Short mmCIF file of all heavy atoms in Angstrom, two decimals:
data_model
loop_
_atom_site.label_atom_id
_atom_site.label_comp_id
_atom_site.label_asym_id
_atom_site.label_seq_id
_atom_site.Cartn_x
_atom_site.Cartn_y
_atom_site.Cartn_z
N LEU A 148 24.00 -17.09 17.43
CA LEU A 148 23.00 -16.62 16.48
C LEU A 148 23.43 -16.85 15.04
O LEU A 148 22.58 -16.96 14.15
CB LEU A 148 22.72 -15.13 16.72
CG LEU A 148 22.19 -14.78 18.12
CD1 LEU A 148 22.02 -13.28 18.25
CD2 LEU A 148 20.88 -15.49 18.39
N GLY A 149 24.74 -16.87 14.81
CA GLY A 149 25.23 -17.14 13.46
C GLY A 149 24.89 -16.07 12.45
O GLY A 149 24.76 -16.36 11.25
N ARG A 150 24.73 -14.83 12.87
CA ARG A 150 24.40 -13.75 11.96
C ARG A 150 25.65 -13.25 11.25
O ARG A 150 26.66 -12.93 11.89
CB ARG A 150 23.76 -12.59 12.72
CG ARG A 150 22.34 -12.82 13.15
CD ARG A 150 21.35 -12.55 12.04
NE ARG A 150 21.41 -11.18 11.62
CZ ARG A 150 20.64 -10.20 12.12
NH1 ARG A 150 19.77 -10.48 13.08
NH2 ARG A 150 20.71 -8.97 11.68
N GLU A 151 25.61 -13.16 9.93
CA GLU A 151 26.74 -12.59 9.19
C GLU A 151 26.68 -11.07 9.18
O GLU A 151 27.71 -10.40 9.18
CB GLU A 151 26.74 -13.13 7.75
CG GLU A 151 27.06 -14.62 7.66
CD GLU A 151 27.20 -15.08 6.22
OE1 GLU A 151 27.13 -14.23 5.32
OE2 GLU A 151 27.38 -16.29 6.01
N VAL A 152 25.46 -10.53 9.13
CA VAL A 152 25.27 -9.08 9.14
C VAL A 152 24.57 -8.71 10.45
O VAL A 152 23.49 -9.20 10.74
CB VAL A 152 24.42 -8.62 7.93
CG1 VAL A 152 24.22 -7.10 7.99
CG2 VAL A 152 25.08 -9.02 6.63
N GLU A 153 25.20 -7.84 11.23
CA GLU A 153 24.69 -7.51 12.55
C GLU A 153 24.35 -6.03 12.68
O GLU A 153 24.22 -5.51 13.79
CB GLU A 153 25.71 -7.90 13.62
CG GLU A 153 26.06 -9.39 13.61
CD GLU A 153 27.21 -9.75 14.53
OE1 GLU A 153 28.04 -8.86 14.81
OE2 GLU A 153 27.28 -10.92 14.95
N ASP A 154 24.16 -5.36 11.53
CA ASP A 154 23.98 -3.91 11.55
C ASP A 154 22.74 -3.47 12.32
O ASP A 154 22.73 -2.41 12.93
CB ASP A 154 23.88 -3.37 10.12
CG ASP A 154 25.20 -3.50 9.37
OD1 ASP A 154 26.22 -3.73 10.04
OD2 ASP A 154 25.20 -3.37 8.13
N ASP A 155 21.67 -4.26 12.29
CA ASP A 155 20.41 -3.84 12.91
C ASP A 155 20.22 -4.41 14.31
O ASP A 155 19.15 -4.29 14.89
CB ASP A 155 19.23 -4.25 12.02
CG ASP A 155 19.18 -5.76 11.80
OD1 ASP A 155 20.21 -6.41 12.05
OD2 ASP A 155 18.13 -6.26 11.36
N MET A 156 21.26 -5.00 14.87
CA MET A 156 21.13 -5.60 16.19
C MET A 156 21.56 -4.63 17.30
O MET A 156 22.26 -3.66 17.05
CB MET A 156 21.99 -6.87 16.27
CG MET A 156 21.59 -7.94 15.27
SD MET A 156 22.59 -9.44 15.40
CE MET A 156 22.02 -10.08 16.98
N PHE A 157 21.09 -4.90 18.50
CA PHE A 157 21.51 -4.13 19.67
C PHE A 157 21.45 -5.02 20.90
O PHE A 157 20.84 -6.09 20.89
CB PHE A 157 20.65 -2.87 19.85
CG PHE A 157 19.17 -3.14 19.91
CD1 PHE A 157 18.53 -3.39 21.11
CD2 PHE A 157 18.42 -3.11 18.75
CE1 PHE A 157 17.17 -3.63 21.16
CE2 PHE A 157 17.04 -3.34 18.78
CZ PHE A 157 16.42 -3.60 20.00
N ILE A 158 22.11 -4.57 21.95
CA ILE A 158 22.16 -5.31 23.22
C ILE A 158 21.56 -4.43 24.30
O ILE A 158 21.91 -3.25 24.41
CB ILE A 158 23.61 -5.68 23.60
CG1 ILE A 158 24.29 -6.45 22.47
CG2 ILE A 158 23.63 -6.48 24.90
CD1 ILE A 158 25.78 -6.65 22.68
N ILE A 159 20.64 -5.00 25.09
CA ILE A 159 20.07 -4.27 26.23
C ILE A 159 20.53 -4.98 27.50
O ILE A 159 20.29 -6.17 27.67
CB ILE A 159 18.54 -4.25 26.18
CG1 ILE A 159 18.04 -3.86 24.80
CG2 ILE A 159 18.00 -3.26 27.22
CD1 ILE A 159 16.53 -3.90 24.66
N MET A 160 21.18 -4.24 28.37
CA MET A 160 21.75 -4.83 29.58
C MET A 160 21.08 -4.30 30.83
O MET A 160 20.56 -3.18 30.85
CB MET A 160 23.24 -4.52 29.67
CG MET A 160 24.11 -5.27 28.71
SD MET A 160 25.86 -4.97 29.10
CE MET A 160 26.62 -6.20 28.04
N SER A 161 21.13 -5.11 31.88
CA SER A 161 20.75 -4.63 33.20
C SER A 161 21.86 -3.73 33.73
O SER A 161 22.99 -3.74 33.22
CB SER A 161 20.53 -5.80 34.15
OG SER A 161 21.76 -6.49 34.37
N ALA A 162 21.55 -2.97 34.76
CA ALA A 162 22.56 -2.09 35.35
C ALA A 162 23.74 -2.89 35.90
O ALA A 162 24.90 -2.49 35.79
CB ALA A 162 21.94 -1.24 36.45
N GLU A 163 23.43 -4.08 36.49
CA GLU A 163 24.49 -4.91 37.06
C GLU A 163 25.41 -5.46 35.97
O GLU A 163 26.64 -5.50 36.13
CB GLU A 163 23.88 -6.07 37.84
CG GLU A 163 23.07 -5.66 39.06
CD GLU A 163 21.62 -5.32 38.71
OE1 GLU A 163 21.28 -5.30 37.51
OE2 GLU A 163 20.85 -5.05 39.64
N ALA A 164 24.82 -5.89 34.86
CA ALA A 164 25.64 -6.42 33.76
C ALA A 164 26.48 -5.32 33.15
O ALA A 164 27.64 -5.54 32.79
CB ALA A 164 24.73 -7.04 32.70
N ARG A 165 25.92 -4.13 33.04
CA ARG A 165 26.69 -3.01 32.50
C ARG A 165 27.91 -2.72 33.36
O ARG A 165 29.01 -2.50 32.85
CB ARG A 165 25.79 -1.76 32.41
CG ARG A 165 26.52 -0.54 31.85
CD ARG A 165 25.62 0.66 31.77
NE ARG A 165 25.18 1.12 33.07
CZ ARG A 165 24.65 2.33 33.29
NH1 ARG A 165 24.49 3.17 32.29
NH2 ARG A 165 24.27 2.67 34.50
N ALA A 166 27.70 -2.73 34.68
CA ALA A 166 28.83 -2.46 35.58
C ALA A 166 29.90 -3.54 35.45
O ALA A 166 31.10 -3.23 35.44
CB ALA A 166 28.32 -2.40 37.02
N ALA A 167 29.47 -4.80 35.30
CA ALA A 167 30.44 -5.89 35.17
C ALA A 167 31.24 -5.76 33.88
O ALA A 167 32.46 -5.97 33.87
CB ALA A 167 29.70 -7.23 35.21
N ILE A 168 30.57 -5.43 32.79
CA ILE A 168 31.27 -5.28 31.51
C ILE A 168 32.25 -4.11 31.55
O ILE A 168 33.37 -4.18 31.02
CB ILE A 168 30.26 -5.08 30.36
CG1 ILE A 168 29.46 -6.36 30.14
CG2 ILE A 168 30.96 -4.67 29.07
CD1 ILE A 168 30.27 -7.53 29.62
N ARG A 169 31.86 -3.03 32.20
CA ARG A 169 32.75 -1.86 32.29
C ARG A 169 34.04 -2.18 33.04
O ARG A 169 35.07 -1.56 32.83
CB ARG A 169 32.02 -0.71 33.00
CG ARG A 169 31.12 0.09 32.07
CD ARG A 169 30.43 1.19 32.83
NE ARG A 169 29.83 2.15 31.92
CZ ARG A 169 28.97 3.10 32.29
NH1 ARG A 169 28.62 3.21 33.57
NH2 ARG A 169 28.47 3.94 31.42
N LYS A 170 33.97 -3.18 33.92
CA LYS A 170 35.15 -3.58 34.68
C LYS A 170 35.94 -4.68 33.98
O LYS A 170 37.03 -5.03 34.42
CB LYS A 170 34.74 -4.08 36.07
CG LYS A 170 34.05 -3.02 36.92
CD LYS A 170 33.55 -3.63 38.23
CE LYS A 170 32.79 -2.62 39.06
NZ LYS A 170 32.22 -3.22 40.30
N ASP A 171 35.38 -5.24 32.90
CA ASP A 171 36.00 -6.35 32.21
C ASP A 171 37.27 -5.88 31.48
O ASP A 171 37.23 -4.90 30.71
CB ASP A 171 35.02 -6.96 31.21
CG ASP A 171 35.57 -8.20 30.54
OD1 ASP A 171 35.40 -9.31 31.07
OD2 ASP A 171 36.19 -8.04 29.47
N ALA A 172 38.36 -6.57 31.70
CA ALA A 172 39.64 -6.16 31.12
C ALA A 172 39.61 -6.17 29.59
O ALA A 172 40.18 -5.27 28.95
CB ALA A 172 40.76 -7.07 31.63
N ASP A 173 38.97 -7.18 29.00
CA ASP A 173 38.90 -7.25 27.54
C ASP A 173 38.13 -6.07 26.96
O ASP A 173 38.50 -5.50 25.94
CB ASP A 173 38.24 -8.56 27.11
CG ASP A 173 39.12 -9.77 27.41
OD1 ASP A 173 40.35 -9.59 27.46
OD2 ASP A 173 38.57 -10.87 27.60
N PHE A 174 37.01 -5.70 27.61
CA PHE A 174 36.23 -4.56 27.14
C PHE A 174 37.01 -3.26 27.28
O PHE A 174 37.04 -2.43 26.37
CB PHE A 174 34.91 -4.46 27.92
CG PHE A 174 34.13 -3.21 27.62
CD1 PHE A 174 33.51 -3.05 26.39
CD2 PHE A 174 34.02 -2.21 28.56
CE1 PHE A 174 32.78 -1.89 26.11
CE2 PHE A 174 33.30 -1.05 28.29
CZ PHE A 174 32.68 -0.90 27.06
N CYS A 175 37.65 -3.10 28.42
CA CYS A 175 38.42 -1.87 28.65
C CYS A 175 39.53 -1.73 27.61
O CYS A 175 39.80 -0.63 27.11
CB CYS A 175 39.01 -1.87 30.05
SG CYS A 175 37.78 -1.74 31.37
N ALA A 176 40.16 -2.83 27.28
CA ALA A 176 41.24 -2.79 26.30
C ALA A 176 40.72 -2.45 24.91
O ALA A 176 41.37 -1.75 24.14
CB ALA A 176 41.97 -4.13 26.26
N ALA A 177 39.52 -2.94 24.60
CA ALA A 177 38.98 -2.74 23.25
C ALA A 177 38.33 -1.37 23.08
O ALA A 177 38.47 -0.73 22.04
CB ALA A 177 37.95 -3.84 22.95
N ARG A 178 37.58 -0.89 24.10
CA ARG A 178 36.81 0.33 23.93
C ARG A 178 37.18 1.43 24.91
O ARG A 178 36.66 2.54 24.81
CB ARG A 178 35.31 0.03 24.10
CG ARG A 178 34.80 -1.11 23.23
CD ARG A 178 34.99 -0.86 21.75
NE ARG A 178 34.30 0.34 21.32
CZ ARG A 178 34.37 0.82 20.09
NH1 ARG A 178 35.10 0.21 19.18
NH2 ARG A 178 33.71 1.91 19.76
N GLN A 179 37.99 1.16 25.89
CA GLN A 179 38.37 2.15 26.89
C GLN A 179 37.15 2.74 27.61
O GLN A 179 37.15 3.90 28.02
CB GLN A 179 39.18 3.29 26.23
CG GLN A 179 40.51 2.84 25.67
CD GLN A 179 41.42 2.24 26.75
OE1 GLN A 179 41.58 2.83 27.80
NE2 GLN A 179 41.98 1.08 26.46
N GLY A 180 36.08 1.93 27.73
CA GLY A 180 34.92 2.35 28.49
C GLY A 180 34.26 3.60 27.97
O GLY A 180 33.74 4.41 28.74
N GLU A 181 34.24 3.80 26.67
CA GLU A 181 33.71 5.05 26.11
C GLU A 181 32.24 5.24 26.46
O GLU A 181 31.47 4.31 26.59
CB GLU A 181 33.89 5.05 24.60
CG GLU A 181 33.08 4.00 23.87
CD GLU A 181 33.38 3.95 22.39
OE1 GLU A 181 34.51 4.30 22.01
OE2 GLU A 181 32.49 3.56 21.63
N ILE A 182 31.85 6.47 26.60
CA ILE A 182 30.47 6.82 26.91
C ILE A 182 29.86 7.47 25.68
O ILE A 182 30.44 8.36 25.07
CB ILE A 182 30.41 7.82 28.09
CG1 ILE A 182 31.17 7.28 29.29
CG2 ILE A 182 28.96 8.12 28.45
CD1 ILE A 182 30.63 5.99 29.85
N VAL A 183 28.66 7.00 25.31
CA VAL A 183 27.99 7.52 24.13
C VAL A 183 26.63 8.06 24.55
O VAL A 183 26.09 7.69 25.58
CB VAL A 183 27.83 6.42 23.06
CG1 VAL A 183 27.30 6.98 21.75
CG2 VAL A 183 29.18 5.76 22.80
N TYR A 184 26.04 8.95 23.76
CA TYR A 184 24.77 9.60 24.07
C TYR A 184 23.59 8.62 24.05
O TYR A 184 23.70 7.47 23.67
CB TYR A 184 24.51 10.73 23.07
CG TYR A 184 24.30 10.23 21.67
CD1 TYR A 184 23.01 10.00 21.19
CD2 TYR A 184 25.37 9.97 20.82
CE1 TYR A 184 22.80 9.52 19.91
CE2 TYR A 184 25.16 9.49 19.54
CZ TYR A 184 23.88 9.28 19.08
OH TYR A 184 23.68 8.80 17.82
N SER A 185 22.43 9.13 24.44
CA SER A 185 21.14 8.41 24.35
C SER A 185 21.11 7.09 25.09
O SER A 185 20.52 6.12 24.62
CB SER A 185 20.76 8.17 22.88
OG SER A 185 20.63 9.39 22.22
N GLY A 186 21.75 7.02 26.22
CA GLY A 186 21.67 5.81 27.03
C GLY A 186 22.68 4.75 26.66
O GLY A 186 22.80 3.75 27.34
N GLN A 187 23.41 4.92 25.56
CA GLN A 187 24.43 3.95 25.20
C GLN A 187 25.69 4.20 26.02
O GLN A 187 26.03 5.33 26.32
CB GLN A 187 24.77 4.06 23.72
CG GLN A 187 23.65 3.63 22.79
CD GLN A 187 24.13 3.60 21.35
OE1 GLN A 187 25.30 3.42 21.09
NE2 GLN A 187 23.21 3.77 20.45
N PHE A 188 26.35 3.13 26.42
CA PHE A 188 27.64 3.32 27.08
C PHE A 188 28.76 2.83 26.20
O PHE A 188 29.92 2.77 26.60
CB PHE A 188 27.67 2.63 28.46
CG PHE A 188 27.78 1.14 28.44
CD1 PHE A 188 29.01 0.51 28.35
CD2 PHE A 188 26.65 0.35 28.53
CE1 PHE A 188 29.13 -0.87 28.35
CE2 PHE A 188 26.76 -1.03 28.52
CZ PHE A 188 27.99 -1.64 28.43
N GLY A 189 28.46 2.49 24.97
CA GLY A 189 29.49 2.05 24.05
C GLY A 189 28.97 0.94 23.16
O GLY A 189 27.76 0.78 22.98
N THR A 190 29.88 0.19 22.60
CA THR A 190 29.52 -0.93 21.75
C THR A 190 30.31 -2.16 22.17
O THR A 190 31.40 -2.05 22.72
CB THR A 190 29.82 -0.62 20.27
OG1 THR A 190 31.22 -0.37 20.12
CG2 THR A 190 29.03 0.57 19.78
N LEU A 191 29.73 -3.31 21.89
CA LEU A 191 30.42 -4.58 22.08
C LEU A 191 30.39 -5.30 20.75
O LEU A 191 29.31 -5.49 20.17
CB LEU A 191 29.73 -5.43 23.14
CG LEU A 191 29.78 -4.94 24.59
CD1 LEU A 191 28.96 -5.84 25.48
CD2 LEU A 191 31.21 -4.88 25.09
N CYS A 192 31.57 -5.67 20.26
CA CYS A 192 31.66 -6.36 18.97
C CYS A 192 31.00 -5.53 17.87
O CYS A 192 30.42 -6.07 16.92
CB CYS A 192 31.01 -7.73 19.03
SG CYS A 192 31.61 -8.76 20.38
N GLY A 193 31.05 -4.21 17.99
CA GLY A 193 30.47 -3.33 17.00
C GLY A 193 28.97 -3.16 17.11
O GLY A 193 28.36 -2.52 16.26
#
Side-chain angles (χ1 to χ4, degrees):
L148 300 177
R150 286 278 298 268
E151 292 186 4
V152 179
E153 301 172 335
D154 292 345
D155 59 343
M156 299 181 70
F157 54 90
I158 305 171
I159 313 176
M160 287 188 170
S161 65
E163 296 85 354
R165 180 180 64 164
I168 292 293
R169 278 179 166 169
K170 298 174 183 177
D171 185 88
D173 291 333
F174 172 71
C175 293
R178 307 301 300 176
Q179 296 300 312
E181 65 186 28
I182 306 298
V183 188
Y184 66 94
S185 300
Q187 292 187 26
F188 74 85
T190 60
L191 292 175
C192 307

